[in-house]
């Protein structure tokens, strides 16, 4: 499905959910500008700022849920922009509500034109990256790579949980190298895009072009390499590209959510190559680092933020930096939309509505499993087993669904926890349960009760 078709599908679902009046008034004139699978961001083009404000205020959850399902993500980020604001943003990087990518498009174009391969976001630089104890090694290694590409740490492998800055550092490497030497060919490629490219090359008989493209690259930045797990043919192609670039002393940098040796479904010979160079990791930032990041992001958007407010936001968000940014954007946007100063009480109000996890009552896998086990009388051992008993399969799927919904863990973490299952199995399970809930209101009610129970017992 192309973007247009996906949006049409969404309109059909939205019509059922909120009625055709709403769809005609607000959604009909919107189009999908861009979908970025790597960051799970969808950029919606809205006709004017009035529609933008209205939709952002009332319909983001609807869009997140249903458009998210069409894009197969549970964590869709929706960014609306109208043409007018986008132009303004291109001349001054002022507002935080405007996505970095859209805002940068205008300034970025000449560089892109010269460098059609790069795919770099010029907002992700070393300057805009805050260094703290949680990421200083990865930062130092990344920066070192830009000074002597292909010689020092090759490949460089950075791993860490979601939203901790891996993608940012990959782009920073690319931007810095391109800045230092304009003739170097840099390519940033999320692994899932690489996989698709390879599949298309096979389908359309373009393998030689595919290989030629990769062989002329000097610096290859592959994001989320874990996506090639269980894709044997792609791994094969990648293995050859890797060898070619490596032997030609070209720089290769990987990001991943897991340490090379714990990556499942990756052929051993490739896995070992991934850790040939330097392997470094990113951790959760400390409170001080989080405060520094918030201040930096606010300053970049010309927003005035007191220390107290920065502290409040930083202490509210525990799991990752992407969420931290999200919280800041919500506070800033709310203040702008309602024409208020950004005060502590405003921030508190915004963040409490948004249901930001407050640290003290974070739900973990054990809480979910405990609840499920009480409700359905299956043990954790049952859930982890390979037993395909029909009822047990459903309960296992329900557990996955609730683990995703109630914790901030990745599909991969959930799969690992439940007997080493693949992330696609978990995703499939979640979709199954969502579909079942749509069609069976009794199941839906049951799950809501179960969810409430888990939340109540945890808090
Ligand atoms: P990952 O790829 O690890 O999931 P990203 O690189 O996409 O995470 O980071 C998520 C967001 O957090 C990005 O907007 C990024 O700019 C921001 N971010 C992460 N780490 C830092 C940091 N140390 N300083 C400033 N911004 C950061
Ligand atoms: Mg990333």
């Amino acid at each position: 499905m192309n973007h247009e078709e996906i949006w049409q599908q969404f309109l059909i679902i939205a019509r059922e959910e909120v009625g055709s009046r709403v769809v005609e008034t607000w959604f009909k004139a919107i189009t999908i500008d861009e979908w970025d699978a790597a960051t799970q961001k969808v950029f919606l083009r809205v006709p004017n700022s009035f529609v933008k404000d209205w939709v952002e205020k009332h319909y983001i959850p609807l869009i997140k849920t249903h458009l998210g399902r069409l894009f197969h993500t549970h964590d869709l980020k929706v960014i609306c922009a109208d043409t007018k604001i986008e132009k303004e943003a291109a001349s001054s990087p002022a507002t935080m509500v405007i996505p970095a990518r859209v805002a940068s498009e205008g300034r970025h174009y000449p560089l892109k034109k010269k460098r059609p391969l790069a795919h770099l976001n010029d907002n992700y630089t070393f300057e805009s990256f805050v260094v703290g104890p949680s990421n200083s090694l990865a930062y130092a290694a990344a920066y070192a790579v830009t000074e002597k590409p292909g010689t020092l740490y090759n490949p460089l492998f950075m791993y860490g949980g979601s939203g901790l800055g891996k993608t940012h550092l990959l782009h920073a490497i690319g931007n810095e190298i391109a800045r230092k030497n304009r003739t170097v060919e840099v390519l940033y490629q999320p692994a899932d895009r690489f996989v698709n490219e390879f599949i298309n090359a096979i389908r359309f008989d373009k393998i030689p072009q595919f290989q030629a493209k990769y062989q002329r690259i000097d610096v290859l930045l592959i994001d989320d390499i874990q996506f090639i797990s269980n894709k044997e043919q792609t791994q094969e192609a990648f293995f050859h590209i890797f060898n070619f670039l490596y032997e030609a002393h070209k720089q290769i940098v990987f990001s991943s959510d897991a340490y090379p040796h714990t990556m499942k479904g990756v052929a051993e010979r490739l896995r070992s190559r991934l850790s040939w160079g330097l392997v470094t990791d990113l951790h959760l930032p400390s409170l001080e680092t989080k405060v520094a990041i918030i201040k930096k992001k606010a300053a970049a958007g010309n927003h005035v933020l007191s220390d107290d407010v920065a502290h409040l936001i930083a202490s509210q968000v525990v799991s990752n930096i992407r969420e931290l940014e999200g919280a800041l954007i919500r506070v800033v946007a709310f203040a702008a939309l309602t024409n208020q100063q950004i005060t502590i009480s405003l921030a508190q109000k915004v963040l409490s509505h948004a249901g930001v996890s407050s640290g003290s009552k974070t739900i973990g896998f054990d809480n979910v499993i405990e609840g499920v086990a009480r409700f359905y009388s299956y043990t954790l051992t049952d859930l982890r087993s390979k037993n395909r008993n029909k009822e047990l399969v459903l309960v296992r799927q329900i557990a996955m669904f609730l683990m995703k919904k109630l914790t901030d863990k990745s599909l991969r973490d959930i799969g690992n926890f439940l007997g080493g299952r693949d992330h696609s199995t978990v995703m499939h399970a979640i979709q199954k349960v969502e579909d079942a809930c749509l069609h069976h209101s009794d199941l839906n009610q049951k799950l809501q009760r179960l969810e409430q129970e888990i939340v109540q017992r945890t808090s």
Side-chain angles (χ1 to χ4, degrees), residues 1-289:
M1 275 200 286
N2 62 29
H3 290 168
E4 158 111 53
E5 288 164 340
I6 288 183
W7 189 250
Q8 291 306 323
Q9 283 292 318
F10 170 75
L11 293 186
I12 292 170
I13 299 165
R15 211 166 262 129
E16 279 172 18
E17 294 274 31
V18 289
S20 48
R21 265 257 299 284
V22 170
V23 171
E24 296 298 321
T25 314
W26 302 108
F27 295 142
K28 253 305 185 40
I30 299 178
T31 52
I32 298 179
D33 239 9
E34 198 188 344
W35 155 240
D36 185 346
T39 56
Q40 314 213 314
K41 283 182 183 162
V42 65
F43 296 94
L44 299 180
R45 173 72 56 116
V46 295
N48 55 51
S49 61
F50 182 67
V51 173
K52 173 174 145 67
D53 292 351
W54 189 270
V55 166
E56 283 180 342
K57 241 189 193 151
H58 297 92
Y59 298 115
I60 293 294
L62 179 87
I63 297 174
K64 271 178 170 275
T65 310
H66 296 290
L67 191 59
R69 284 185 59 199
L70 293 168
F71 278 124
H72 302 292
T73 168
H74 293 275
D75 189 23
L76 184 73
K77 277 137 220 126
V78 183
I79 294 133
C80 303
D82 59 290
T83 332
K84 203 176 96 251
I85 296 182
E86 191 189 321
K87 276 203 201 103
E88 278 168 11
S91 55
S92 74
T95 38
M96 288 286 307
V97 228
I98 310 302
R101 297 195 42 149
V102 174
S104 72
E105 220 72 87
R107 281 174 290 135
H108 197 175
Y109 190 61
L111 185 69
K112 252 194 187 162
K113 218 172 167 185
K114 218 198 244 158
R115 217 176 272 289
L117 274 180
H119 296 154
L120 291 173
N121 176 342
D122 59 3
N123 287 293
Y124 287 167
T125 60
F126 286 113
E127 290 75 42
S128 65
F129 192 87
V130 174
V131 186
S134 56
N135 58 30
S136 58
L137 283 179
Y139 177 94
Y143 193 80
V145 153
T146 70
E147 303 202 297
K148 285 191 171 154
T151 51
L152 213 46
Y153 304 131
N154 204 19
L156 173 62
F157 190 101
M158 300 188 285
Y159 73 96
S162 156
L164 297 183
K166 301 183 295 294
T167 298
H168 189 133
L169 282 180
L170 285 182
H171 283 277
I173 293 173
N175 284 321
E176 182 66 19
I177 290 179
R179 197 179 65 82
K180 282 182 170 136
N181 186 344
R182 306 203 125 250
T183 61
V184 174
E185 287 284 4
V186 178
L187 176 65
Y188 166 83
Q189 195 75 313
D192 58 340
R193 213 190 293 164
F194 179 85
V195 171
N196 284 335
E197 217 185 346
F198 177 68
I199 292 169
N200 282 331
I202 295 184
R203 192 181 297 155
F204 300 113
D205 229 3
K206 293 232 160 69
I207 287 290
Q209 287 92 324
F210 173 83
Q211 278 171 337
K213 169 180 167 181
Y214 280 89
Q215 292 181 350
R216 70 175 236 253
I217 285 158
D218 301 308
V219 178
L220 180 59
L221 309 165
I222 297 277
D223 208 354
D224 293 317
I225 184 75
Q226 74 272 5
F227 270 106
I228 65 166
S229 65
N230 299 317
K231 313 223 165 47
E232 278 155 38
Q233 271 198 315
T234 312
Q235 286 180 27
E236 184 77 24
F238 190 73
F239 184 73
H240 290 296
I241 292 168
F242 179 95
N243 285 342
F244 180 89
L245 294 177
Y246 183 82
E247 274 154 28
H249 301 289
K250 307 297 181 68
Q251 179 69 47
I252 310 166
V253 186
F254 298 105
S255 87
S256 167
D257 67 354
Y259 182 72
H261 286 288
T262 62
M263 280 173 65
K264 298 219 173 71
V266 175
E268 177 50 37
R269 59 175 190 169
L270 180 55
R271 230 187 309 160
S272 89
R273 276 186 177 48
L274 294 178
S275 47
W276 264 358
L278 181 71
V279 177
T280 171
D281 57 349
L282 294 114
H283 302 273
L284 276 173
S286 64
L287 184 64
E288 290 74 32
T289 309

Side-chain angles (χ1 to χ4, degrees), residues 332-440:
V332 168
F334 185 81
L337 282 175
T338 56
N339 241 329
Q340 296 181 64
Q341 300 273 354
I342 306 175
T343 58
I344 279 269
S345 69
L346 177 131
Q348 256 158 355
K349 200 164 124 199
V350 174
L351 296 180
S352 67
H353 282 311
V356 169
S357 48
S358 63
S360 58
K361 46 178 179 206
T362 320
I363 296 176
F365 285 168
D366 46 340
N367 306 109
V368 177
I369 296 299
E370 205 182 84
V372 171
R374 216 174 19 244
F375 211 79
Y376 288 106
S377 31
Y378 282 106
T379 63
L380 177 59
T381 316
D382 296 330
L383 295 173
R384 282 181 167 162
S385 71
K386 300 263 176 273
N387 189 335
R388 307 271 316 150
N389 165 304
K390 212 167 152 198
E391 194 187 48
L392 175 57
V393 167
L394 176 67
V395 175
R396 194 181 285 130
Q397 289 173 335
I398 288 172
M400 292 175 177
F401 168 80
L402 289 171
M403 285 158 89
K404 185 67 206 170
K405 185 160 182 196
L406 298 177
T407 74
D408 48 29
K409 294 293 198 304
S410 68
L411 297 172
R412 172 170 289 262
D413 291 337
I414 295 171
N416 280 341
F417 185 82
L418 286 181
R421 292 177 154 83
D422 187 63
H423 76 98
S424 59
T425 309
V426 180
M427 192 155 72
H428 175 76
I430 293 169
Q431 272 161 9
K432 264 266 168 71
V433 175
E434 284 180 344
D435 284 343
C437 281
L438 273 181
H439 295 110
H440 305 282

Side-chain angles (χ1 to χ4, degrees), residues 301-325:
N302 283 335
H303 301 295
V304 185
L305 213 62
S306 71
D307 286 1
D308 287 351
V309 173
H311 237 88
L312 176 77
I313 300 176
S315 59
Q316 292 271 298
V317 179
V318 285
S319 63
N320 72 49
I321 298 167
R322 191 174 295 124
E323 260 176 34
L324 193 65
E325 257 188 289

